[in-house]
Amino acid sequence: MIFNIIIFLLAIFIAFTMITFRAWKIETKRINSPIETITKDPKISFRQIEKIFLYLTKNLLLFIVLSVAKYWYLITTKSHKWIIENWPKVYRIFWKKSETTQTNKKSFISRVVLESKIKMKKIKEKIKQEHEL
């Protein structure tokens, strides 16, 4: 333990002497050119900021839509199962086949909508598998 403390104090002393020596060289102008400071602020354009915010907004809205869709499908699946078991005549009246439509637009909004539809479909299938319809 004492050995570690001695090494720590020695390192602090050496660092302090290096800093004071460098300061002395700069004050007495014995150094030709000072070290150039590196700028840590990256130059970000407005377009990059716009892309970042579009991405964050897309993911936030997708999270909200998917969570609402998940609970919606969960409620409808449980109620659907309950209606099949308890009221089969009512089930036969309201039973319909679903139709799927696909669009091939390449705009940003349509890609987000298509992506959310695919994720909602996966969530719906997962919930149906869990409740074994």
Side-chain angles (χ1 to χ4, degrees):
M1 179 73 175
I2 294 175
F3 185 69
N4 289 339
I5 294 173
I6 291 172
I7 290 176
F8 176 72
L9 291 176
L10 185 62
I12 289 176
F13 178 73
I14 290 172
F16 181 72
T17 54
M18 287 173 57
I19 290 172
T20 53
F21 180 72
R22 183 73 176 165
W24 174 76
K25 281 177 90 174
I26 291 173
E27 283 178 6
T28 57
K29 298 188 180 186
R30 293 181 187 244
I31 190 166
N32 293 336
S33 61
I35 299 173
E36 295 180 14
T37 58
I38 300 171
T39 58
K40 294 184 180 180
D41 297 332
K43 295 181 180 179
I44 299 175
S45 67
F46 181 75
R47 179 68 182 151
Q48 290 172 334
I49 294 172
E50 184 181 13
K51 284 182 180 180
I52 291 169
F53 276 101
L54 271 173
Y55 176 76
L56 291 175
T57 306
K58 179 192 88 159
N59 285 330
L60 179 67
L61 290 176
L62 197 61
F63 172 74
I64 292 170
V65 168
L66 288 177
S67 59
V68 168
K70 176 183 176 182
Y71 290 113
W72 172 257
Y73 287 133
L74 186 65
I75 290 168
T76 56
T77 304
K78 286 188 176 188
S79 62
H80 187 73
K81 186 177 179 182
W82 184 81
I83 288 174
I84 289 172
E85 291 174 359
N86 295 333
W87 293 343
K89 290 181 181 179
V90 174
Y91 171 71
R92 279 186 232 121
I93 292 171
F94 293 108
W95 183 69
K96 294 181 182 177
K97 291 184 179 179
S98 63
E99 298 177 5
T100 58
T101 58
Q102 293 181 354
T103 57
N104 293 330
K105 295 179 182 176
K106 294 186 178 182
S107 68
F108 181 78
I109 303 291
S110 61
R111 281 186 281 153
V112 171
V113 170
L114 185 62
E115 183 180 331
S116 63
K117 283 182 181 179
I118 292 169
K119 288 184 180 181
M120 283 191 293
K121 189 175 182 181
K122 286 180 182 178
I123 289 173
K124 186 177 180 180
E125 290 172 1
K126 184 178 177 183
I127 291 173
K128 281 186 179 181
Q129 287 176 356
E130 287 176 2
H131 294 285
E132 298 174 343
L133 273 179

